[in-house]
Amino acid sequence: MDLTRLSRRMEAVPPWAGEAILCAAVEAATIYRIGTAAPGAADRSPDAWAYGIGLAMAAVLPVRRRRPALTLSVVFLLWVIYHVADYPGGAPAVPVWISLYSVAAAPRRRMGLALAGWLIVSDALARTKYAGVGLFDAALDGSTVVFVAALLLGDSVRSRRARRAEFEARLALLAAHRDQVAAQRLTEERMRIARELHDVSAHTIAVINVQASVAAELLAEAPDQAREALEAVRRAGGEALAEMRATVGVLREPDSVEGDMAPPAPGIGRLPDLALACAGGRPRVDVRVEGERRPLPRLVEFTAYRIAQESLTNAMRHSDAGLVEILVRYNEAGLALEVRDDGGGGDGRADETGSAAEGNGLRGMTERAAGLGGRLTAGPFEWPGGAGRGFRVRAWLPATDDDLTMQEKASRVGDRPQDEEAT
């Protein structure tokens, strides 16, 4: 049987059973030592009192773990009584060894160590006085060394237990941290999937609703225009299905065939498709791009597209807007995006401060911009020239590299020009 298996079996033994076995073994050893001890010239032969004192010393050991100092005190007192009665010296030493070990191995041991030091010193002085030996005599040193060895063994066990407890605490902390990170990643992934599903489904339903209304109105008078509207419905459904497949693909295995065949993420170049999807109905969508167009990180372009898509969806669903303008402005620091409509601005999509706190759409847009270290505001505004009230969504997306950390992305938010934020 190897040591590991033996250790596991020992740990499986109940504490009270282990203490009972130890007590029985110590009592047997004490009786044997008292019975076989050779009395000196001035010693009394062991009698019932001698055996009684030895058994009493062993009987208090079961409480040594809870009260190590008290156990050593009782054993020490009985040890002194035994020797004052002139019984053979050193015979009932086994309970003393166990008590010294228990004191040194205890978590709180200041009082116990003081009692142990007193016991060892008083025992050594008593032996030098009554045995007529020197302080460093071999016979005296043997007894003292065993007492000290019991203390050192207990201290070694205590140190090992402390290291083991510290190691287990570190493992528990690492496990808790790992679980926390896993839960955070799962939450972020669920939020990302929820945003994707919301953006795709909401926009598609809004486009289908607009184009279906156009087809229903023109079906009898202008079949060709109705057919174009139905074709737009078909295109919107096909694109939504492809994007939905790509979104659901992240839930599959990395080697999933459908995930490998997922279409590329839409970007700035797909913004005209949003206007095309609403062609022939309300609202009319105008897309303008200012500044020198240049390649941007894919995540920045994808985020800009989703913000514009969701803003257009909100205008179609929550207002009676006749015009939606999508303005994209490039510069060296990043990308400024503005989507505004003439729907009156009283649809409750966000407050004047741009908190964008109501609804999954506005909350999702804010989270997308913040994830890149950018910023998004939304709220009612006045059209220039007194043309009426409308609703506006403005976003700033810094042109950071894809491999930058979130902290590095966020640190660049303060570097964006103020004139780019106020488009």
Side-chain angles (χ1 to χ4, degrees), residues 203 207 270-279 285 287 305 308-310 312 326:
H203 178 73
V207 170
R270 293 277 302 276
L271 289 180
D273 295 342
L274 298 178
L276 181 61
C278 297
V285 182
V287 179
Y305 177 85
Q309 182 187 52
E310 179 60 25
L312 176 59
I326 302 177

Side-chain angles (χ1 to χ4, degrees), residues 46-366:
D47 54 15
W49 283 105
Y51 289 105
I53 293 174
L55 292 177
M57 294 172 65
V60 299
L61 294 180
V63 299
R64 63 188 179 89
R65 295 183 182 274
R66 297 190 301 272
R67 296 288 188 271
L70 178 62
T71 301
L72 180 60
S73 300
V74 176
V75 171
F76 186 15
L77 178 62
L78 294 174
W79 172 264
V80 172
I81 294 174
Y82 178 88
H83 286 87
V84 169
D86 292 332
Y87 291 118
V94 179
V96 180
W97 301 340
I98 303 298
S99 301
L100 291 173
Y101 165 84
S102 301
V103 163
R108 298 180 180 180
R109 54 180 189 168
R110 180 177 301 178
M111 182 178 297
L113 289 180
L115 289 173
W118 184 19
L119 186 151
I120 294 174
V121 171
S122 62
D123 179 76
L125 293 178
R127 287 177 181 272
T128 57
K129 179 178 180 180
Y130 293 103
V133 296
L135 187 61
F136 298 102
D137 186 88
L140 176 64
D141 293 344
S143 175
T144 305
V145 166
V146 174
F147 287 166
V148 175
L151 285 174
L152 294 178
L153 179 61
D155 183 72
S156 175
V157 171
R158 178 179 179 273
S159 300
R160 188 186 67 178
R161 290 174 179 172
R163 288 194 300 268
R164 181 178 178 180
E166 181 181 1
F167 179 72
E168 291 177 350
R170 289 183 179 180
L171 287 181
L173 183 61
L174 290 175
H177 178 69
R178 179 193 60 194
D179 295 341
Q180 181 180 4
V181 171
Q184 181 178 0
R185 290 180 178 176
L186 178 61
T187 301
E188 293 175 353
E189 188 66 14
R190 290 176 59 186
M191 294 176 60
R192 187 178 72 86
I193 295 174
R195 288 195 300 265
E196 293 298 320
L197 293 177
H198 174 272
D199 292 350
V200 173
S201 61
H203 178 73
T204 303
I205 293 174
V207 170
I208 290 176
N209 183 54
V210 169
Q211 296 296 349
S213 299
V214 172
E217 294 177 359
L218 301 177
L219 186 60
E221 300 177 0
D224 292 339
Q225 296 183 17
R227 187 178 299 107
E228 292 179 0
L230 293 176
E231 180 64 21
V233 171
R234 187 190 65 82
R235 288 198 305 268
E239 293 177 0
L241 182 62
E243 292 191 14
M244 192 76 71
R245 183 182 297 112
T247 302
V248 175
V250 302
L251 300 177
R252 300 183 180 273
E253 297 296 330
D255 56 352
S256 172
V257 176
E258 293 186 5
D260 295 339
M261 298 178 61
I268 301 298
R270 293 277 302 276
L271 289 180
D273 295 342
L274 298 178
L276 181 61
C278 297
R282 287 176 60 92
R284 180 170 59 88
V285 182
D286 291 339
V287 179
R288 301 204 323 264
V289 179
E290 299 179 359
E292 182 180 356
R293 183 164 183 174
R294 60 187 180 88
L296 293 173
R298 290 174 297 175
L299 187 57
V300 173
E301 292 214 8
F302 176 70
T303 301
Y305 177 85
R306 285 299 190 213
I307 292 176
Q309 182 187 52
E310 179 60 25
S311 300
L312 176 59
T313 301
N314 286 344
M316 297 168 64
R317 295 177 58 191
H318 302 294
S319 71
D320 190 24
L323 173 64
V324 176
E325 291 185 351
I326 302 177
L327 174 62
V328 179
R329 180 176 298 171
Y330 286 88
N331 64 33
E332 295 182 358
L335 182 72
L337 174 68
E338 179 176 338
V339 182
R340 56 190 182 183
D341 62 65
D342 59 356
D347 48 26
R349 284 172 282 180
D351 55 24
E352 293 287 350
T353 62
S355 62
E358 297 184 13
N360 293 326
L362 289 173
R363 182 167 57 248
M365 289 190 293
T366 304

